Amino acid sequence: MVNDRYLWTAIRAAEVAGDELRARFESSSRERFRDRPADEAAEARITDVIAAAFPDDNVVSEEGSPEFRPKPRWVVDPLDGTVNFHNGVPHFSVSIMYEGATRPDVGVVNYVPADQLYVAIEGEGAFVNGRELSVSNAAELSEALVVTGFDSLARANGDGAYLEALCESTRGVRRMGSAAAELALVAAGRFDVYFEQNLDMWDTRTGPLLVREAGGEVTHVEAIDDVTGDTVVASNQALHRQVISLMSRHSALG
């Protein structure tokens, strides 16, 4: 798929959106808010690239068109890590996924602050800046470094037991604020486990594909109502059952 138009369109769109975000991030705090919000500006750059290449394709995006649209479609998160971005914290990303109806999916995560472009091609592997990715080889939870999210809905429901269990059972737990970037880092073997609840659909596309194509395993529990979101557990294969068992014991998987 080296010459695949869908792949190169996704890469180009992620790059131009990353350029937009980088320029704003490296300017003053006031400039980050200039003209229009950064997420809307990045989304406009993305949709322009997609429309030029595939004018009839469906696009689902957090900012512009969050409603359901059937495959084939593009699923876009132009700025994953908005709070970090606006506070000058260098941990945010652009996520773009093409979901084909009859052809392999392709996904791209531009981890902008690190200048790392992650690419996943269904059935053909995962790569960062051209280098093939592989998940970690940690074999026990006690060896695992975990990255997670803990949103306001989980706190309101008192669903904190799983977080305490993760802290007690692993090497450590980090909460960083960009699902796509963190799943990419699991695919790269930097983190051993990713777990988060109440995710939107654009959070559950490219990142999980990266992990699977890097040799990992993903459990994706879809939302059963309009209040709660999806749940994703991603890790290497050796750790996956251990994580699922721990989460299930603490009612963290629905």
Side-chain angles (χ1 to χ4, degrees):
M1 291 185 64
V2 173
N3 297 316
D4 184 82
R5 287 182 64 213
Y6 291 90
L7 172 62
W8 289 110
T9 298
I11 290 173
R12 177 59 181 159
E15 288 178 335
V16 299
D19 291 344
E20 177 75 30
L21 295 177
R22 185 180 294 106
R24 289 173 179 248
F25 187 77
E26 293 175 352
S27 65
S28 69
S29 177
R30 178 176 304 214
E31 284 296 302
R32 289 188 205 127
F33 294 89
R34 72 177 186 268
D35 302 328
R36 62 197 302 189
D39 46 9
E40 292 182 9
E43 180 176 297
R45 300 288 299 274
I46 292 168
T47 54
D48 284 349
V49 171
I50 294 173
F54 302 101
D56 298 324
D57 280 9
N58 291 320
V59 178
V60 179
S61 173
E62 180 175 11
E63 304 306 322
S65 52
E67 71 274 12
F68 175 81
R69 296 186 179 187
K71 298 178 183 180
R73 65 189 177 192
W74 298 83
V75 181
V76 172
D77 190 346
L79 175 52
D80 184 11
T82 306
V83 173
N84 288 341
F85 178 87
H86 287 305
N87 284 277
V89 177
H91 183 69
F92 55 90
S93 60
V94 178
S95 176
I96 301 173
M97 176 86 162
Y98 177 76
E99 294 185 312
T102 59
R103 51 170 293 117
D105 296 341
V106 298
V108 175
V109 171
N110 188 350
Y111 187 19
V112 181
D115 196 25
Q116 293 176 343
L117 192 72
Y118 290 83
V119 175
I121 308 161
E122 185 180 10
E124 297 192 29
F127 308 85
V128 58
N129 295 352
R131 176 177 59 83
E132 190 167 10
L133 293 173
S134 179
V135 292
S136 79
N137 58 7
E140 301 293 337
L141 269 183
S142 59
E143 305 170 1
L145 182 61
V146 179
V147 63
T148 189
F150 194 60
D151 67 6
S152 57
L153 180 60
R155 291 196 299 272
N157 292 338
D159 297 334
Y162 76 86
L163 186 59
E164 182 176 352
L166 282 172
C167 290
E168 292 176 349
S169 303
T170 65
R171 288 181 61 196
V173 178
R174 304 291 183 265
R175 179 184 183 231
M176 299 175 69
S178 175
E182 289 143 30
L183 283 159
L185 291 171
V186 172
R190 304 292 182 85
F191 287 110
D192 303 295
V193 177
Y194 171 89
F195 172 80
E196 189 163 355
Q197 299 170 304
N198 302 318
L199 293 166
D200 292 309
M201 70 170 295
W202 35 84
D203 299 316
T204 63
R205 293 307 190 266
T206 304
L209 180 63
L210 280 164
V211 174
R212 291 189 184 100
E213 291 298 324
E217 190 168 348
V218 178
T219 294
H220 177 191
V221 181
E222 295 189 4
I224 59 173
D225 55 44
D226 294 330
V227 178
T228 58
D230 293 7
T231 295
V232 169
V233 181
S235 69
N236 65 33
Q237 295 187 20
L239 290 174
H240 206 72
R241 288 191 178 183
Q242 298 175 54
V243 180
I244 293 296
S245 177
L246 182 69
M247 296 295 95
S248 297
R249 289 200 303 272
H250 293 88
S251 303
L253 291 177

Short mmCIF file of all heavy atoms in Angstrom, two decimals, residues 125-190:
data_model
loop_
_atom_site.label_atom_id
_atom_site.label_comp_id
_atom_site.label_asym_id
_atom_site.label_seq_id
_atom_site.Cartn_x
_atom_site.Cartn_y
_atom_site.Cartn_z
N GLY A 125 0.85 -3.73 9.26
CA GLY A 125 1.75 -3.26 10.29
C GLY A 125 1.53 -1.82 10.70
O GLY A 125 0.67 -1.11 10.19
N ALA A 126 2.35 -1.40 11.67
CA ALA A 126 2.31 -0.05 12.21
C ALA A 126 3.71 0.51 12.23
O ALA A 126 4.69 -0.22 12.48
CB ALA A 126 1.70 -0.05 13.62
N PHE A 127 3.82 1.83 12.01
CA PHE A 127 5.13 2.46 11.84
C PHE A 127 5.13 3.85 12.45
O PHE A 127 4.09 4.49 12.55
CB PHE A 127 5.45 2.56 10.33
CG PHE A 127 5.31 1.27 9.59
CD1 PHE A 127 4.07 0.87 9.10
CD2 PHE A 127 6.40 0.44 9.40
CE1 PHE A 127 3.92 -0.35 8.43
CE2 PHE A 127 6.27 -0.77 8.73
CZ PHE A 127 5.02 -1.16 8.25
N VAL A 128 6.30 4.30 12.87
CA VAL A 128 6.48 5.68 13.30
C VAL A 128 7.68 6.25 12.54
O VAL A 128 8.78 5.69 12.59
CB VAL A 128 6.66 5.82 14.83
CG1 VAL A 128 7.84 5.00 15.35
CG2 VAL A 128 6.80 7.29 15.22
N ASN A 129 7.44 7.32 11.81
CA ASN A 129 8.48 7.94 10.99
C ASN A 129 9.23 6.89 10.16
O ASN A 129 10.45 6.94 9.98
CB ASN A 129 9.48 8.71 11.86
CG ASN A 129 8.84 9.90 12.56
OD1 ASN A 129 7.69 10.25 12.29
ND2 ASN A 129 9.57 10.52 13.46
N GLY A 130 8.45 5.92 9.65
CA GLY A 130 9.00 4.89 8.77
C GLY A 130 9.57 3.68 9.46
O GLY A 130 9.92 2.70 8.79
N ARG A 131 9.65 3.70 10.80
CA ARG A 131 10.21 2.57 11.54
C ARG A 131 9.07 1.69 12.06
O ARG A 131 8.10 2.17 12.61
CB ARG A 131 11.04 3.08 12.72
CG ARG A 131 11.59 1.99 13.62
CD ARG A 131 12.47 2.58 14.71
NE ARG A 131 11.74 3.52 15.55
CZ ARG A 131 10.97 3.18 16.57
NH1 ARG A 131 10.79 1.89 16.88
NH2 ARG A 131 10.36 4.10 17.30
N GLU A 132 9.21 0.37 11.88
CA GLU A 132 8.15 -0.55 12.29
C GLU A 132 8.02 -0.57 13.81
O GLU A 132 9.02 -0.55 14.54
CB GLU A 132 8.43 -1.96 11.78
CG GLU A 132 7.25 -2.90 11.97
CD GLU A 132 7.40 -4.19 11.19
OE1 GLU A 132 8.49 -4.44 10.64
OE2 GLU A 132 6.40 -4.95 11.11
N LEU A 133 6.78 -0.62 14.27
CA LEU A 133 6.48 -0.61 15.70
C LEU A 133 6.25 -2.00 16.25
O LEU A 133 5.80 -2.90 15.54
CB LEU A 133 5.23 0.23 15.96
CG LEU A 133 5.32 1.73 15.70
CD1 LEU A 133 3.95 2.37 15.85
CD2 LEU A 133 6.32 2.38 16.64
N SER A 134 6.50 -2.14 17.54
CA SER A 134 6.20 -3.37 18.26
C SER A 134 5.86 -3.03 19.70
O SER A 134 6.54 -2.21 20.33
CB SER A 134 7.40 -4.32 18.22
OG SER A 134 7.12 -5.52 18.93
N VAL A 135 4.80 -3.64 20.20
CA VAL A 135 4.42 -3.40 21.59
C VAL A 135 5.48 -3.94 22.54
O VAL A 135 6.38 -4.68 22.13
CB VAL A 135 3.05 -4.03 21.91
CG1 VAL A 135 1.94 -3.33 21.15
CG2 VAL A 135 3.06 -5.53 21.60
N SER A 136 5.37 -3.61 23.82
CA SER A 136 6.37 -4.02 24.80
C SER A 136 6.33 -5.53 25.04
O SER A 136 5.39 -6.23 24.64
CB SER A 136 6.13 -3.29 26.12
OG SER A 136 5.06 -3.90 26.84
N ASN A 137 7.34 -6.02 25.74
CA ASN A 137 7.39 -7.44 26.08
C ASN A 137 7.17 -7.68 27.57
O ASN A 137 7.51 -8.75 28.08
CB ASN A 137 8.71 -8.06 25.63
CG ASN A 137 9.92 -7.37 26.26
OD1 ASN A 137 9.78 -6.50 27.12
ND2 ASN A 137 11.11 -7.75 25.80
N ALA A 138 6.62 -6.72 28.29
CA ALA A 138 6.32 -6.93 29.72
C ALA A 138 5.37 -8.11 29.87
O ALA A 138 4.38 -8.22 29.14
CB ALA A 138 5.70 -5.67 30.32
N ALA A 139 5.67 -8.98 30.82
CA ALA A 139 4.90 -10.22 30.96
C ALA A 139 4.00 -10.24 32.20
O ALA A 139 3.09 -11.05 32.27
CB ALA A 139 5.83 -11.42 31.00
N GLU A 140 4.25 -9.35 33.15
CA GLU A 140 3.47 -9.31 34.38
C GLU A 140 3.00 -7.90 34.66
O GLU A 140 3.70 -6.93 34.37
CB GLU A 140 4.31 -9.82 35.56
CG GLU A 140 4.84 -11.24 35.41
CD GLU A 140 3.74 -12.28 35.42
OE1 GLU A 140 2.65 -11.98 35.98
OE2 GLU A 140 3.96 -13.38 34.89
N LEU A 141 1.81 -7.80 35.26
CA LEU A 141 1.29 -6.48 35.59
C LEU A 141 2.23 -5.70 36.49
O LEU A 141 2.33 -4.48 36.40
CB LEU A 141 -0.08 -6.60 36.28
CG LEU A 141 -1.32 -6.58 35.38
CD1 LEU A 141 -2.57 -6.64 36.24
CD2 LEU A 141 -1.32 -5.33 34.52
N SER A 142 2.93 -6.39 37.35
CA SER A 142 3.86 -5.71 38.25
C SER A 142 4.98 -5.00 37.49
O SER A 142 5.63 -4.10 38.04
CB SER A 142 4.46 -6.71 39.24
OG SER A 142 5.16 -7.74 38.56
N GLU A 143 5.21 -5.39 36.23
CA GLU A 143 6.23 -4.76 35.40
C GLU A 143 5.67 -3.63 34.54
O GLU A 143 6.43 -2.92 33.88
CB GLU A 143 6.85 -5.80 34.45
CG GLU A 143 7.41 -7.04 35.12
CD GLU A 143 7.78 -8.11 34.11
OE1 GLU A 143 7.61 -7.87 32.89
OE2 GLU A 143 8.24 -9.18 34.53
N ALA A 144 4.35 -3.48 34.52
CA ALA A 144 3.68 -2.64 33.52
C ALA A 144 3.58 -1.18 33.94
O ALA A 144 3.25 -0.86 35.08
CB ALA A 144 2.29 -3.20 33.24
N LEU A 145 3.84 -0.29 32.97
CA LEU A 145 3.56 1.13 33.12
C LEU A 145 2.26 1.41 32.37
O LEU A 145 2.14 1.14 31.18
CB LEU A 145 4.70 1.97 32.56
CG LEU A 145 4.54 3.49 32.70
CD1 LEU A 145 4.45 3.90 34.16
CD2 LEU A 145 5.68 4.22 32.00
N VAL A 146 1.28 1.95 33.09
CA VAL A 146 -0.07 2.12 32.58
C VAL A 146 -0.35 3.59 32.31
O VAL A 146 0.06 4.47 33.07
CB VAL A 146 -1.10 1.60 33.61
CG1 VAL A 146 -2.53 1.79 33.11
CG2 VAL A 146 -0.82 0.12 33.92
N VAL A 147 -1.07 3.86 31.22
CA VAL A 147 -1.57 5.21 30.97
C VAL A 147 -3.08 5.13 30.87
O VAL A 147 -3.64 4.18 30.30
CB VAL A 147 -0.94 5.81 29.69
CG1 VAL A 147 -1.30 5.01 28.44
CG2 VAL A 147 -1.33 7.27 29.53
N THR A 148 -3.76 6.10 31.48
CA THR A 148 -5.21 6.03 31.57
C THR A 148 -5.82 7.42 31.50
O THR A 148 -5.11 8.44 31.47
CB THR A 148 -5.63 5.36 32.90
OG1 THR A 148 -7.03 5.11 32.89
CG2 THR A 148 -5.29 6.24 34.09
N GLY A 149 -7.13 7.46 31.44
CA GLY A 149 -7.89 8.70 31.57
C GLY A 149 -8.91 8.50 32.66
O GLY A 149 -9.35 7.39 32.93
N PHE A 150 -9.27 9.60 33.30
CA PHE A 150 -10.20 9.53 34.43
C PHE A 150 -11.06 10.77 34.37
O PHE A 150 -10.70 11.82 34.89
CB PHE A 150 -9.40 9.45 35.74
CG PHE A 150 -10.21 9.05 36.95
CD1 PHE A 150 -10.86 7.82 36.96
CD2 PHE A 150 -10.31 9.87 38.04
CE1 PHE A 150 -11.60 7.44 38.07
CE2 PHE A 150 -11.06 9.50 39.15
CZ PHE A 150 -11.70 8.28 39.17
N ASP A 151 -12.20 10.67 33.70
CA ASP A 151 -12.97 11.88 33.40
C ASP A 151 -13.97 12.22 34.50
O ASP A 151 -14.10 11.52 35.50
CB ASP A 151 -13.69 11.73 32.05
CG ASP A 151 -14.77 10.66 32.07
OD1 ASP A 151 -15.04 10.10 33.15
OD2 ASP A 151 -15.33 10.38 31.01
N SER A 152 -14.68 13.32 34.29
CA SER A 152 -15.60 13.83 35.30
C SER A 152 -16.76 12.88 35.55
O SER A 152 -17.26 12.77 36.67
CB SER A 152 -16.14 15.20 34.88
OG SER A 152 -16.77 15.13 33.61
N LEU A 153 -17.20 12.16 34.50
CA LEU A 153 -18.31 11.22 34.67
C LEU A 153 -17.90 10.08 35.59
O LEU A 153 -18.66 9.68 36.49
CB LEU A 153 -18.76 10.67 33.31
CG LEU A 153 -19.92 9.67 33.33
CD1 LEU A 153 -21.17 10.32 33.93
CD2 LEU A 153 -20.21 9.16 31.92
N ALA A 154 -16.69 9.55 35.39
CA ALA A 154 -16.21 8.47 36.25
C ALA A 154 -16.09 8.95 37.70
O ALA A 154 -16.46 8.24 38.64
CB ALA A 154 -14.87 7.96 35.75
N ARG A 155 -15.59 10.15 37.90
CA ARG A 155 -15.46 10.68 39.26
C ARG A 155 -16.83 10.87 39.89
O ARG A 155 -17.03 10.56 41.07
CB ARG A 155 -14.70 12.00 39.24
CG ARG A 155 -13.24 11.86 38.88
CD ARG A 155 -12.46 13.10 39.24
NE ARG A 155 -12.94 14.27 38.54
CZ ARG A 155 -12.51 14.66 37.35
NH1 ARG A 155 -11.58 13.96 36.72
NH2 ARG A 155 -12.98 15.75 36.77
N ALA A 156 -17.79 11.38 39.11
CA ALA A 156 -19.13 11.62 39.64
C ALA A 156 -19.80 10.31 40.06
O ALA A 156 -20.56 10.28 41.03
CB ALA A 156 -19.99 12.33 38.59
N ASN A 157 -19.49 9.24 39.33
CA ASN A 157 -20.08 7.93 39.66
C ASN A 157 -19.30 7.17 40.72
O ASN A 157 -19.67 6.06 41.09
CB ASN A 157 -20.16 7.07 38.38
CG ASN A 157 -21.17 7.62 37.39
OD1 ASN A 157 -22.08 8.36 37.77
ND2 ASN A 157 -21.00 7.29 36.13
N GLY A 158 -18.23 7.76 41.17
CA GLY A 158 -17.42 7.10 42.19
C GLY A 158 -16.68 5.88 41.69
O GLY A 158 -16.34 4.97 42.45
N ASP A 159 -16.38 5.86 40.38
CA ASP A 159 -15.74 4.69 39.79
C ASP A 159 -14.22 4.78 39.88
O ASP A 159 -13.51 4.77 38.88
CB ASP A 159 -16.16 4.56 38.32
CG ASP A 159 -17.65 4.32 38.16
OD1 ASP A 159 -18.24 3.79 39.11
OD2 ASP A 159 -18.20 4.67 37.11
N GLY A 160 -13.70 4.87 41.08
CA GLY A 160 -12.27 5.01 41.24
C GLY A 160 -11.55 3.78 41.73
O GLY A 160 -10.32 3.77 41.83
N ALA A 161 -12.29 2.70 42.02
CA ALA A 161 -11.65 1.51 42.59
C ALA A 161 -10.64 0.91 41.63
O ALA A 161 -9.58 0.44 42.04
CB ALA A 161 -12.71 0.48 42.96
N TYR A 162 -10.96 0.91 40.33
CA TYR A 162 -10.04 0.32 39.36
C TYR A 162 -8.73 1.09 39.32
O TYR A 162 -7.65 0.51 39.13
CB TYR A 162 -10.67 0.26 37.97
CG TYR A 162 -10.70 1.59 37.24
CD1 TYR A 162 -9.61 2.00 36.49
CD2 TYR A 162 -11.81 2.42 37.31
CE1 TYR A 162 -9.63 3.21 35.82
CE2 TYR A 162 -11.82 3.63 36.64
CZ TYR A 162 -10.74 4.03 35.91
OH TYR A 162 -10.74 5.23 35.25
N LEU A 163 -8.80 2.41 39.48
CA LEU A 163 -7.58 3.22 39.44
C LEU A 163 -6.67 2.89 40.62
O LEU A 163 -5.45 2.74 40.45
CB LEU A 163 -7.94 4.70 39.45
CG LEU A 163 -6.79 5.69 39.28
CD1 LEU A 163 -6.07 5.44 37.95
CD2 LEU A 163 -7.29 7.12 39.36
N GLU A 164 -7.25 2.74 41.78
CA GLU A 164 -6.47 2.35 42.96
C GLU A 164 -5.85 0.97 42.74
O GLU A 164 -4.68 0.74 43.09
CB GLU A 164 -7.36 2.34 44.19
CG GLU A 164 -6.64 1.99 45.48
CD GLU A 164 -7.52 2.08 46.70
OE1 GLU A 164 -8.66 2.55 46.58
OE2 GLU A 164 -7.06 1.66 47.78
N ALA A 165 -6.63 0.05 42.16
CA ALA A 165 -6.12 -1.30 41.90
C ALA A 165 -4.96 -1.27 40.91
O ALA A 165 -3.97 -1.98 41.08
CB ALA A 165 -7.24 -2.19 41.38
N LEU A 166 -5.07 -0.44 39.88
CA LEU A 166 -3.98 -0.32 38.92
C LEU A 166 -2.72 0.24 39.58
O LEU A 166 -1.62 -0.22 39.33
CB LEU A 166 -4.40 0.59 37.76
CG LEU A 166 -5.30 -0.02 36.69
CD1 LEU A 166 -5.78 1.05 35.72
CD2 LEU A 166 -4.59 -1.14 35.93
N CYS A 167 -2.90 1.24 40.43
CA CYS A 167 -1.74 1.82 41.11
C CYS A 167 -1.04 0.80 42.00
O CYS A 167 0.18 0.77 42.10
CB CYS A 167 -2.18 3.02 41.95
SG CYS A 167 -2.69 4.46 40.98
N GLU A 168 -1.83 -0.05 42.64
CA GLU A 168 -1.27 -1.04 43.56
C GLU A 168 -0.64 -2.22 42.82
O GLU A 168 0.28 -2.86 43.35
CB GLU A 168 -2.35 -1.57 44.49
CG GLU A 168 -2.87 -0.53 45.48
CD GLU A 168 -4.01 -1.05 46.32
OE1 GLU A 168 -4.54 -2.14 45.98
OE2 GLU A 168 -4.38 -0.38 47.30
N SER A 169 -1.11 -2.52 41.60
CA SER A 169 -0.71 -3.76 40.92
C SER A 169 0.35 -3.57 39.85
O SER A 169 0.85 -4.55 39.29
CB SER A 169 -1.94 -4.42 40.28
OG SER A 169 -2.94 -4.67 41.23
N THR A 170 0.71 -2.32 39.52
CA THR A 170 1.61 -2.06 38.41
C THR A 170 2.80 -1.20 38.85
O THR A 170 2.87 -0.75 40.00
CB THR A 170 0.86 -1.32 37.28
OG1 THR A 170 0.47 -0.02 37.76
CG2 THR A 170 -0.38 -2.10 36.86
N ARG A 171 3.70 -0.95 37.90
CA ARG A 171 4.85 -0.09 38.20
C ARG A 171 4.43 1.36 38.39
O ARG A 171 5.10 2.14 39.07
CB ARG A 171 5.86 -0.14 37.05
CG ARG A 171 6.62 -1.44 36.95
CD ARG A 171 7.60 -1.37 35.80
NE ARG A 171 8.58 -0.31 35.98
CZ ARG A 171 9.35 0.18 35.01
NH1 ARG A 171 9.22 -0.30 33.78
NH2 ARG A 171 10.22 1.12 35.26
N GLY A 172 3.33 1.74 37.76
CA GLY A 172 2.88 3.12 37.87
C GLY A 172 1.76 3.41 36.90
O GLY A 172 1.55 2.67 35.93
N VAL A 173 1.02 4.49 37.17
CA VAL A 173 -0.11 4.90 36.33
C VAL A 173 0.07 6.38 35.98
O VAL A 173 0.36 7.19 36.86
CB VAL A 173 -1.45 4.69 37.05
CG1 VAL A 173 -2.61 5.18 36.17
CG2 VAL A 173 -1.64 3.22 37.41
N ARG A 174 -0.10 6.71 34.72
CA ARG A 174 -0.01 8.09 34.26
C ARG A 174 -1.34 8.53 33.66
O ARG A 174 -2.01 7.73 32.99
CB ARG A 174 1.10 8.23 33.21
CG ARG A 174 2.47 7.75 33.67
CD ARG A 174 3.05 8.67 34.73
NE ARG A 174 4.39 8.26 35.13
CZ ARG A 174 4.65 7.48 36.18
NH1 ARG A 174 3.65 7.03 36.94
NH2 ARG A 174 5.89 7.16 36.49
N ARG A 175 -1.70 9.76 33.88
CA ARG A 175 -2.87 10.35 33.24
C ARG A 175 -2.39 11.58 32.48
O ARG A 175 -1.94 12.55 33.09
CB ARG A 175 -3.91 10.75 34.28
CG ARG A 175 -5.15 11.40 33.66
CD ARG A 175 -6.12 11.87 34.73
NE ARG A 175 -7.33 12.42 34.14
CZ ARG A 175 -7.84 13.60 34.47
NH1 ARG A 175 -7.25 14.35 35.39
NH2 ARG A 175 -8.94 14.04 33.90
N MET A 176 -2.48 11.55 31.13
CA MET A 176 -1.79 12.56 30.33
C MET A 176 -2.70 13.39 29.44
O MET A 176 -2.42 14.54 29.17
CB MET A 176 -0.70 11.89 29.50
CG MET A 176 0.35 11.20 30.37
SD MET A 176 1.58 10.28 29.43
CE MET A 176 2.47 11.61 28.63
N GLY A 177 -3.79 12.82 28.91
CA GLY A 177 -4.79 13.68 28.27
C GLY A 177 -4.87 13.69 26.76
O GLY A 177 -5.47 14.60 26.19
N SER A 178 -4.31 12.67 26.08
CA SER A 178 -4.49 12.57 24.63
C SER A 178 -4.55 11.10 24.26
O SER A 178 -3.52 10.43 24.11
CB SER A 178 -3.35 13.26 23.87
OG SER A 178 -3.49 13.04 22.47
N ALA A 179 -5.76 10.58 24.11
CA ALA A 179 -5.95 9.14 23.90
C ALA A 179 -5.18 8.63 22.69
O ALA A 179 -4.53 7.57 22.75
CB ALA A 179 -7.43 8.83 23.76
N ALA A 180 -5.25 9.34 21.58
CA ALA A 180 -4.58 8.88 20.36
C ALA A 180 -3.08 8.80 20.55
O ALA A 180 -2.43 7.82 20.15
CB ALA A 180 -4.92 9.80 19.19
N ALA A 181 -2.49 9.82 21.17
CA ALA A 181 -1.05 9.81 21.40
C ALA A 181 -0.65 8.68 22.34
O ALA A 181 0.37 8.01 22.14
CB ALA A 181 -0.60 11.15 21.97
N GLU A 182 -1.45 8.45 23.37
CA GLU A 182 -1.11 7.43 24.35
C GLU A 182 -1.24 6.02 23.78
O GLU A 182 -0.41 5.14 24.08
CB GLU A 182 -1.98 7.62 25.60
CG GLU A 182 -1.56 8.87 26.37
CD GLU A 182 -2.71 9.63 26.98
OE1 GLU A 182 -3.73 9.01 27.33
OE2 GLU A 182 -2.59 10.87 27.10
N LEU A 183 -2.24 5.79 22.95
CA LEU A 183 -2.34 4.50 22.29
C LEU A 183 -1.18 4.30 21.31
O LEU A 183 -0.65 3.19 21.17
CB LEU A 183 -3.69 4.39 21.57
CG LEU A 183 -4.86 4.09 22.51
CD1 LEU A 183 -6.19 4.50 21.88
CD2 LEU A 183 -4.89 2.61 22.89
N ALA A 184 -0.76 5.37 20.65
CA ALA A 184 0.42 5.28 19.79
C ALA A 184 1.65 4.89 20.60
O ALA A 184 2.48 4.09 20.15
CB ALA A 184 0.65 6.61 19.08
N LEU A 185 1.76 5.42 21.81
CA LEU A 185 2.91 5.10 22.66
C LEU A 185 2.84 3.67 23.19
O LEU A 185 3.88 3.05 23.45
CB LEU A 185 2.99 6.10 23.80
CG LEU A 185 3.38 7.52 23.37
CD1 LEU A 185 3.24 8.50 24.54
CD2 LEU A 185 4.80 7.57 22.82
N VAL A 186 1.64 3.12 23.33
CA VAL A 186 1.52 1.68 23.64
C VAL A 186 2.01 0.87 22.45
O VAL A 186 2.74 -0.11 22.60
CB VAL A 186 0.06 1.31 24.00
CG1 VAL A 186 -0.10 -0.21 24.11
CG2 VAL A 186 -0.36 1.97 25.31
N ALA A 187 1.61 1.27 21.25
CA ALA A 187 2.06 0.57 20.05
C ALA A 187 3.58 0.61 19.92
O ALA A 187 4.20 -0.33 19.41
CB ALA A 187 1.42 1.19 18.81
N ALA A 188 4.19 1.68 20.41
CA ALA A 188 5.64 1.83 20.34
C ALA A 188 6.37 1.16 21.49
O ALA A 188 7.61 1.17 21.53
CB ALA A 188 6.00 3.31 20.30
N GLY A 189 5.62 0.58 22.45
CA GLY A 189 6.24 -0.09 23.58
C GLY A 189 6.69 0.84 24.69
O GLY A 189 7.37 0.42 25.63
N ARG A 190 6.30 2.13 24.63
CA ARG A 190 6.68 3.08 25.69
C ARG A 190 5.81 2.86 26.92
O ARG A 190 6.30 2.91 28.05
CB ARG A 190 6.55 4.50 25.18
CG ARG A 190 7.33 4.80 23.92
CD ARG A 190 8.83 4.78 24.15
NE ARG A 190 9.57 5.09 22.94
CZ ARG A 190 9.85 6.31 22.53
NH1 ARG A 190 9.41 7.36 23.22
NH2 ARG A 190 10.54 6.50 21.44
#
